[in-house]
Amino acid sequence: MNYLNKIWLLFFLTIGVFSCDNIEAPISPDDSSNEVFIEGDGGTKGMEVLSNDGFVVFNTNRFSILDQDGGLLKQIPATNHIFANLTADGSHLFSTGRSSSENIIGLSAYDINGDLLWDKFITFTDGDVEIPFVRVIDDQLILAFISKNKEGENQNHRTINIEVFSKDGSTVETSKIIFDAEHDFFTYNLLIESKENFLVQGSRVISDSQSDEGDIQVYRFINGELVWYKAAGPQGFSVVNKVIKSPTGGYLFVGSKQIAAWAFELDVDGNTLWDLDHRDGTNKFWFFDALYTDNSIHFCGLTNATPGQLDAGMLFTTGLAGSGGVEKIFGGDNLYRLFAIANRQPDELVFAGDRSFLQGNRFDSWIMFTDGSGEK
C-alpha cells in the first residue's frame, strides 16, 4: 500500500461527527483574487514554488503549473508513474513514484512549462519497494527509496537504495545502505540530506490488532552508517505527514495523534527539544505541513471544530519552539483542507489543499493567498 493510500485510509477511518458548542464560524473562502479553485482535478496534496514565482501543485494523478497569481497554465497527467513526490529546482521539475508495477520506480524531468524532458525507470527485484523520494543537492539529482524483504522473510531488514543522476538523466552512481530496524515499519518520510546522510521516519506495523499498538520510528544515518534510532510519540494511532529540516539543524515532525494536531522537534542527536499538541478533546485537529519564518512556525492542516462539524482548513502559528499558538480557520458550506504551505516573500503565506462537497465525489484544488499572519 503506498504512502498516500495509507494516509487517506487513516483519514477516512477516523472521521467522526462530534458535538461542540460555542464554535466560531470560520472565515469563508470566496471568489476574490485571494482564492483560486481548479474544479474537478482531484485536489492538491503538495506544492512547490517555481523560479519565476509561479507554482506547481500536485496529487498522485496529475500536477498543474500555475502563474504568479495562481492561474492555471497547464495540467500534466500521470502516465508512466504516479506523482508520489515532486521537487522544483531552478528551471526544472523532477517527479518520482511507482509505475503500474509496484517494483518499478519512475523518475521524470520537466521544464518549468511542464514539458517532459526525460523519463528513467529503475526495476527492483530484491524485495518490496516503498515510496520513493527525490531531491536536488549540489546540482545532482538524488533518488532514494526503502526496500524490505518479501513477505515471509525477515521484515526488519531494510535497504536504502540510492540512485544519483545528473540533471540530464545520466546515471552518476548507485549505492545502498543496509540496516536492521528495531521493528517492522511503513516508511512515511525519507529526508535526503546528501548522498550518504538520511533521516528515515515510519510507523511501526501493528502485529496484533487486539493487543499491539504502533508508534513512530526514526532512524538517522551519517556517512552511510546508522548513528541513532528513536521511538517517538504515543502508542496507538499517530502519523507524521511531513519532516522538515529546522533552522537550527534539527528535524521538525508534523502530523497528528488520535484527534490532536501534533508536532515535535528533535535535535541532530535525536533528543526531543519540544512537543506540541493542539486539541480541544472533542473535535479533530490535524497538521499536514509547516513553514518556518523569522520568528514563527506556521502549521497548516484541518479541523472539524466548526458549526456543523464540517472540515475546514486550519492555520496554527507558534513561536520557533512551538510556544503560544494563534489559530485561524478557513471554511464554509463545503469541506476544505490545507495540505501544503509556502511563501515567496516574508509577508506572504500561500496555501494549497482541496475543496470537496457534501453531495457527490468531486474534489477541487484550492489555492489561497494571505499576508504573513494569515489575513486575507
Side-chain angles (χ1 to χ4, degrees):
M1 183 182 296
N2 68 41
Y3 167 80
L4 287 173
N5 284 342
K6 288 183 287 186
I7 290 293
W8 280 107
L9 176 61
L10 293 172
F11 179 90
F12 286 111
L13 284 176
T14 53
I15 286 179
V17 177
F18 305 93
S19 62
C20 187
D21 298 327
N22 301 319
I23 296 176
E24 295 183 6
I27 301 169
S28 296
D30 54 42
D31 294 325
S32 72
S33 60
N34 294 326
E35 310 268 350
V36 176
F37 295 96
I38 306 173
E39 295 185 354
D41 75 337
T44 286
K45 301 301 183 289
M47 172 174 55
E48 291 280 317
V49 178
L50 301 177
S51 58
N52 62 2
D53 281 343
F55 303 91
V56 57
V57 296
F58 65 96
N59 57 37
T60 55
N61 295 319
R62 63 175 55 84
F63 70 82
S64 300
I65 305 294
L66 311 181
D67 65 20
Q68 297 177 7
D69 299 317
L72 177 62
L73 298 176
K74 186 174 184 178
Q75 285 190 320
I76 295 87
T79 53
N80 296 322
H81 61 80
I82 65 170
F83 298 133
N85 280 292
L86 185 149
T87 188
D89 181 74
S91 59
H92 292 83
L93 303 172
F94 300 100
S95 68
T96 187
R98 291 191 295 201
S99 73
S100 57
S101 172
E102 290 195 350
N103 277 19
I104 297 179
I105 299 294
L107 176 65
S108 300
Y110 300 83
D111 65 20
I112 201 170
N113 299 312
D115 295 323
L116 180 65
L117 300 175
W118 50 261
D119 274 328
K120 302 281 287 188
F121 296 94
I122 298 99
T123 300
F124 188 85
T125 58
D126 188 18
D128 294 326
V129 170
E130 296 192 285
I131 180 173
F133 294 80
V134 63
R135 187 178 176 192
V136 178
I137 298 177
D138 296 332
D139 215 35
Q140 290 183 326
L141 190 61
I142 302 175
L143 171 70
F145 59 93
I146 299 284
S147 60
K148 59 190 291 187
N149 286 339
K150 293 184 181 296
E151 189 173 347
E153 301 175 358
N154 181 2
Q155 293 297 290
N156 293 358
H157 194 67
R158 291 291 194 280
T159 302
I160 304 175
N161 303 273
I162 305 126
E163 304 275 346
V164 182
F165 301 91
S166 62
K167 287 186 177 179
D168 65 6
S170 302
T171 300
V172 176
E173 61 182 277
T174 299
S175 60
K176 298 178 183 291
I177 299 173
I178 299 172
F179 69 104
D180 286 317
E182 293 292 322
H183 304 279
D184 188 13
F185 67 90
F186 295 113
T187 303
Y188 275 36
N189 292 279
L190 199 167
L191 185 64
I192 302 169
E193 300 182 77
S194 73
K195 292 183 288 187
E196 296 182 322
N197 297 350
F198 300 88
L199 184 130
V200 176
Q201 177 274 317
S203 291
R204 184 163 65 87
V205 174
I206 297 173
S207 58
D208 182 348
S209 60
Q210 301 300 315
S211 61
D212 190 23
E213 294 184 300
D215 53 13
I216 300 301
Q217 308 287 296
V218 185
Y219 300 83
R220 190 180 182 215
F221 300 83
I222 298 177
N223 297 324
E225 299 291 333
L226 177 63
V227 293
W228 55 258
Y229 154 79
K230 185 178 184 69
Q235 291 189 331
F237 169 68
S238 56
V239 63
V240 171
N241 293 314
K242 195 74 172 284
V243 179
I244 301 165
K245 192 78 170 174
S246 75
T248 58
Y251 305 94
L252 175 65
F253 297 76
V254 179
S256 60
K257 54 184 179 183
Q258 305 295 340
I259 58 173
W262 178 40
F264 63 95
E265 184 180 356
L266 302 182
D267 66 15
V268 293
D269 297 313
N271 302 305
T272 301
L273 299 179
W274 53 267
D275 189 297
L276 165 68
D277 279 11
H278 179 50
R279 68 173 75 203
D280 66 8
T282 302
N283 299 285
K284 67 172 181 274
F285 296 81
W286 294 345
F287 290 150
F288 288 98
D289 197 4
L291 174 72
Y292 281 95
T293 56
D294 287 344
N295 299 304
S296 302
I297 309 174
H298 304 281
F299 299 93
C300 74
L302 66 85
T303 181
N304 70 337
T306 62
Q309 262 63 60
L310 298 179
D311 285 354
M314 176 180 65
L315 168 66
F316 192 72
T317 300
T318 73
L320 292 178
S323 58
V326 176
E327 178 189 87
K328 293 184 184 296
I329 299 176
F330 307 90
D333 295 333
N334 297 300
L335 306 176
Y336 296 85
R337 310 168 187 92
L338 293 174
F339 292 103
I341 181 172
N343 68 350
R344 297 168 293 185
Q345 55 193 19
D347 191 29
E348 176 191 59
L349 297 175
V350 184
F351 302 89
D354 67 35
R355 172 182 68 180
S356 61
F357 298 86
L358 297 175
Q359 302 296 325
N361 297 317
R362 194 184 90 191
F363 283 79
D364 302 335
S365 282
W366 170 34
I367 295 92
M368 180 173 64
F369 298 84
T370 73
D371 66 15
S373 63
E375 295 290 339
K376 295 182 184 179

